[in-house]
Amino acid sequence: MTELQQEIRRLAEATDALILAHYYQTLDVQDIADVVGDSYEMAKQARSAEASTIVVCGVHFMAESAKILSPEKTILLPAPDAGCPMADMVEAEDVLALRAKYPSAKVMCYVNSSAAVKAVSDVCCTSSSAVRIAEKLDTDEIIFVPDRNLGRYVAEQVPGKQFYFHPGFCPIHDRVSAEQVKQAKARYPNALFIAHPECREEVLALADFIGSTAQMIQFTRKTDAAEMIIGTEIGVLELLQRELPQKKILSVSASFVCPNMKKTTLRDIYESLATGVHEMRLDESERQLAYASLERMIEL
Ligand code: 13P
Ligand code: SF4
């Protein structure tokens, strides 16, 4: 560990803080975290942690979710301008318009969304829990926001229900093409291709495994395959390359980088812990409504 990393760990202990990091964070940030996980794990940890402060190394909606679930805790987002462009593609008014159009449907919102959108939804989901929640939700009609790619993937896995989509997408996952996957497969014919469900339909059709970031990591750890092509952000690639040097692990595209996930630096974390700057705050009535959707996700 570098001196700055050690100093962050010392500060975290001294201030009773738990550091959560998403798998898309840079490795130096992942290395000082108490827990590194996917969105679902981060939400669960934020809800059950005993620490009085939670530092969220990720993007804005992750810190918001932590505050929604644990309002009594101090939630710090060291890089306050780290947003998620997909979350910004849907607003509460869009959800209300869809509700008016499909009055008998329930609204399922991907956790990559604002507190205001969660507040007007019936249930939230993450990429690892979306199929299970769609199956269990007591309705035959589901409005899915904001990710059209994840929504379409879930609809395919739950054929008995009618889905209505919003045209949001992740600009990072959506720009990967089937042609890029085919080229990578042609160069490495023995490699397995694994993809995040935020990728396009034609990309997912070429995948040997589809799952959340945590599920992709689990799959790569367990498989006997010696060569892997990773269809998600390079944080996952870097973690796997370091952990499994005996395997050949490649990215499907050199530009598979989420700039917002790379905004959190060690210096930001240090500053936030040392001064308490960049604390997440939410309107209490909106928080309570959003809480119901997130809590239902964890129950289901
Ligand atoms: P996970 O739910 O797999 O953590 O993904 C979050 C995300 O932002 C993917 O782009
Ligand atoms: Fe949002 Fe895409 Fe970045 Fe995930 S990878 S945080 S969905 S922009």
Side-chain angles (χ1 to χ4, degrees):
M1 275 207 187
T2 64
E3 214 169 293
L4 182 55
Q5 285 176 312
Q6 288 175 27
E7 196 49 44
I8 291 170
R9 285 306 326 161
R10 269 197 295 274
L11 256 179
E13 305 297 326
T15 56
D16 187 31
L18 181 84
I19 304 181
L20 301 180
H22 190 269
Y23 288 120
Y24 294 166
Q25 294 293 294
T26 52
L27 289 183
D28 59 348
V29 169
Q30 293 191 33
D31 288 345
I32 52 91
D34 292 285
V35 180
V36 183
D38 64 0
S39 311
Y40 185 70
E41 184 61 27
M42 289 176 78
K44 263 187 23 189
Q45 289 284 340
R47 180 173 171 258
S48 61
E50 282 173 9
S52 57
T53 296
I54 297 182
V55 183
V56 178
C57 304
V59 291
H60 191 266
F61 75 81
M62 294 174 173
E64 243 185 14
S65 297
K67 188 67 186 174
I68 293 167
L69 289 164
S70 286
E72 72 293 350
K73 295 186 179 123
T74 301
I75 309 292
L76 301 175
L77 178 64
D81 61 337
C84 168
M86 168 158 66
D88 295 340
M89 287 180 194
V90 66
E91 294 186 1
E93 290 68 34
D94 301 316
V95 177
L96 297 177
L98 283 163
R99 274 199 188 278
K101 197 166 172 192
Y102 306 108
S104 47
K106 289 205 169 161
V107 179
M108 194 169 152
C109 86
Y110 192 23
V111 72
N112 298 39
S113 55
S114 66
V117 165
K118 289 181 177 79
V120 292
S121 299
D122 293 294
V123 66
C124 290
C125 70
T126 59
S127 55
S128 61
S129 60
V131 171
R132 196 168 58 244
I133 288 170
E135 279 167 349
K136 287 195 170 179
L137 201 59
D138 58 339
T139 177
D140 291 334
E141 289 178 73
I142 296 176
I143 296 167
F144 193 96
V145 301
D147 188 3
R148 64 182 181 206
N149 291 336
L150 176 64
R152 203 220 70 265
Y153 169 72
V154 173
E156 216 173 80
Q157 308 298 307
V158 188
K161 299 195 178 187
Q162 174 73 47
F163 284 76
Y164 310 107
F165 305 114
H166 177 79
F169 59 92
C170 163
I172 318 303
H173 286 80
D174 193 72
R175 71 170 171 236
V176 173
S177 68
E179 199 42 49
Q180 283 173 303
V181 180
K182 284 179 192 162
Q183 281 172 11
K185 282 188 157 208
R187 275 189 80 189
Y188 301 96
N190 297 323
L192 294 185
F193 170 59
I194 62 173
H196 195 280
E198 287 176 13
C199 291
R200 283 191 213 174
E201 182 173 14
E202 59 270 27
V203 166
L204 295 184
L206 297 168
D208 297 290
F209 176 78
I210 299 166
S212 75
T213 48
Q215 291 165 337
M216 292 168 85
I217 291 166
Q218 285 303 332
F219 181 88
T220 306
R221 284 177 181 150
K222 283 194 184 146
T223 179
D224 292 334
E227 294 181 12
M228 304 290 298
I229 302 166
I230 308 295
T232 195
E233 212 271 349
I234 60 152
V236 169
L237 175 91
E238 289 170 353
L239 173 147
L240 287 170
Q241 282 177 333
R242 185 173 69 173
E243 186 183 314
L244 304 167
Q246 71 282 12
K247 294 195 181 202
K248 194 170 188 65
I249 302 176
L250 309 133
S251 177
V252 67
S253 158
S255 62
F256 223 144
V257 182
C258 173
N260 282 286
M261 280 286 189
K262 303 306 186 206
K263 282 185 177 163
T264 314
T265 64
L266 290 173
R267 182 57 57 189
D268 294 333
I269 299 168
Y270 177 83
E271 294 289 338
S272 191
L273 267 173
T275 65
V277 73
H278 306 317
E279 184 180 344
M280 176 61 59
R281 292 185 200 276
L282 285 176
D283 170 75
E284 181 55 17
S285 54
E286 186 169 274
R287 187 201 68 77
Q288 283 180 17
L289 290 168
Y291 176 83
S293 298
L294 265 176
E295 197 52 34
R296 212 162 293 135
M297 166 181 96
I298 293 172
E299 270 165 32
L300 285 174

